[in-house]
Structures are given as C-alpha cells and as structure tokens.
Amino acid sequence: MENLLTVEKLNVVYGKGKDCVHAVKDVTFHIKPGEIFGLVGESGCGKSSLGKAIIRLNVPTSGSMVFKGDDVSLLSGRELKEYRQEVQMVFQDPYGSLYPRMKVGSAIMDVLEVHRIGENTSERHARVAELFEAVGLEPDWAWRYPHEFSGGQRQRICIARALALNPELLVADEPVSALDVSVQAEILELLEDLRTQRQLAFLFVSHDLAVVRNICDRVAVMYNGEIVEMGDVVDVIDNPQHEYTRTLLAAVPAF
C-alpha cells in the first residue's frame, strides 16, 4: 500500500540568528491510508509544531512533505486551499476552537461556503445535519451557541467541522487531553469509528502513552524536536529501546 503522507527530513525553525528555536529537526516518517499514527512526547518537544507544519499553519524551513505523490511543503494560494480540503486539524482546546458568538452550525456552514460545498443553503444545512449525526449529536443542536455544550460535545463539534470537507487525513493535536477521563474514552471510540467508516488516516499527537496505546497502530517518540524511536505501538511500548521512551513509560500512573 502506498503512503498517504511521507515526511522527509522536515525542519521547522522559529526566528533567526542567536534567538532562533529549532522546533522540528530532520523528522522523517510516513502515514498510510486508514492508519492512526501516534506522535508522543512531553510538552515543548515539537509535536504541535510538526502537526501545524503538516496542515501548513507553519511553513517548514526545509525538507519535504509528499501527500498522495505531490510535495505540499511549499504550496500557496489556490493549491494550498485545495490541500487543506484533504488534510484537516482538530485542536486540543474545544473551548477556544469555537467562536462564542456564532452558532456552531453557522461555523460549519462558513467552511462549506468558502470551499463551495453544496449548491445552495438548503444543501449545506443538510450537510451540517449529516455531520452532527456522524459525531453522535442531534442535528437540531447545530443551531445552538458553544456555551450550551459540554467539553466533550464541543470536541465532537470540532471533529464535525474538520470532517466537513471529506478529508483523508486528520491531524488530531492532543484532542482528548482537556477532557475528563470518561469523556476521553468516548472521543477515542468516535475517532476509531470514523477511521473504520470513512477510511480516515490520523496523525494523533499526544503526551499520554496510555491513550496512544489504545488507539494507534504505530507511534513515533519525539524528544527535543527529533524522533528518537518509532515502530508498531505495541513493540515500542512493551519493548522500548530509547532511554527517553523508558522515562515516558515510567511516568505513566499504575493503578
């Protein structure tokens, strides 16, 4: 099976000269269609910078990102807009990801209108209803404001918005870390269902190895901007080769 995304020697550097920060250093990995690929590491190790580079919220300093055979690392304008239809992001904070004065359905309608999905308002309304059902929410709830929802429900809405353009890859940046443990399990189950139903691939960014083990097929361990270990999730967690991976595992609470 060909790779959906291939990242080769990717670097992300903020600033210049003595004040520059080398957030991502020569990172190489690939994601196959329908795969959940985990990226794990402590806060500040470069995980989010890498995720934002893939969605092109950050511009890579060097290296390549080949998506479905095309290098997307330097796209701009219309081509970048088209790429973002196929690669979407779900952010960590479901509270800050939605505009408080806009009904959540309207936020999704805006996405559909910008990308010219649907012939008219009626078709777009139907698409919003379909997306709400897909993430386990009542379609009528689309015309409520963000403050009327719980944290888990807001994250489901953010996932619905990310699905609006029928992407093939979702970058999920710590999507459950701001939620209660019981709600985390529900969101993880939803992501797994979406993977199965839609053949979605995920880059699943997390600091929590226990969560990664439950949902990911393969995992890369990131430390100080570099990938220090990578492989099948069971192999990496049950038989870690790098000292940093062993340190992360030692920090997981045992009950």
Side-chain angles (χ1 to χ4, degrees):
M1 184 186 296
E2 293 186 2
N3 297 334
L4 180 65
L5 174 72
T6 302
V7 176
E8 291 277 356
K9 295 187 178 299
L10 196 74
N11 288 271
V12 176
V13 179
Y14 301 119
K16 295 182 180 180
K18 295 180 180 179
D19 296 327
C20 76
V21 176
H22 203 156
V24 178
K25 305 174 184 176
D26 286 327
V27 164
T28 295
F29 66 94
H30 67 270
I31 301 176
K32 293 189 176 298
E35 179 181 31
I36 300 182
F37 182 84
L39 183 65
V40 67
E42 63 189 342
S43 296
C45 73
K47 306 187 304 297
S48 292
S49 291
L50 176 57
K52 289 175 181 177
I54 289 170
I55 197 68
R56 287 295 316 277
L57 292 178
N58 290 338
V59 179
T61 307
S62 63
S64 67
M65 300 187 301
V66 177
F67 182 78
K68 295 169 61 175
D70 296 321
D71 191 344
V72 298
S73 55
L74 297 176
L75 292 182
S76 61
R78 180 177 58 82
E79 292 176 330
L80 179 57
K81 181 180 177 181
E82 291 173 354
Y83 170 64
R84 285 181 175 156
Q85 286 188 251
E86 300 189 89
V87 182
Q88 284 284 300
M89 193 163 192
V90 178
F91 295 93
Q92 175 180 0
D93 180 12
Y95 296 92
S97 298
L98 297 167
Y99 184 54
R101 297 185 180 181
M102 178 181 282
K103 293 177 180 178
V104 294
S106 298
I108 298 174
M109 288 282 286
D110 280 356
V111 174
L112 298 174
E113 289 172 10
V114 167
H115 290 272
R116 299 181 180 178
I117 305 297
E119 294 294 327
N120 50 48
T121 300
S122 178
E123 286 190 10
R124 291 174 185 137
H125 272 266
R127 176 68 175 151
V128 171
E130 174 193 317
L131 289 165
F132 265 61
E133 288 181 340
V135 298
L137 296 175
E138 293 293 331
D140 290 347
W141 295 358
W143 312 110
R144 298 179 179 178
Y145 290 95
H147 73 267
E148 298 180 72
F149 296 95
S150 67
Q153 290 170 334
R154 291 188 201 194
Q155 195 61 294
R156 287 174 185 268
I157 293 164
C158 292
I159 293 169
R161 182 175 59 186
L163 294 175
L165 303 177
N166 290 317
E168 293 189 45
L169 174 65
L170 279 188
V171 178
D173 186 6
E174 301 267 13
V176 298
S177 63
L179 306 175
D180 293 341
V181 173
S182 60
V183 180
Q184 287 185 15
E186 294 174 1
I187 298 299
L188 293 176
E189 183 177 0
L190 171 62
L191 297 180
E192 183 63 57
D193 289 344
L194 291 171
R195 184 255 285 265
T196 302
Q197 296 164 7
R198 297 169 178 253
Q199 283 300 294
L200 265 174
F202 289 83
L203 174 63
F204 188 89
V205 179
S206 180
H207 66 277
D208 190 333
L209 276 166
V211 169
V212 165
R213 177 166 187 160
N214 279 332
I215 194 170
C216 296
D217 302 305
R218 292 186 301 125
V219 63
V221 180
M222 198 167 185
Y223 175 64
N224 195 27
E226 301 178 85
I227 289 180
V228 297
E229 187 165 357
M230 181 164 53
D232 289 345
V233 68
V234 174
D235 293 339
V236 170
I237 291 178
D238 287 353
N239 188 27
Q241 300 299 305
H242 196 275
E243 180 60 32
Y244 178 68
T245 309
R246 291 194 284 268
T247 300
L248 280 180
L249 285 165
V252 177
F255 295 99

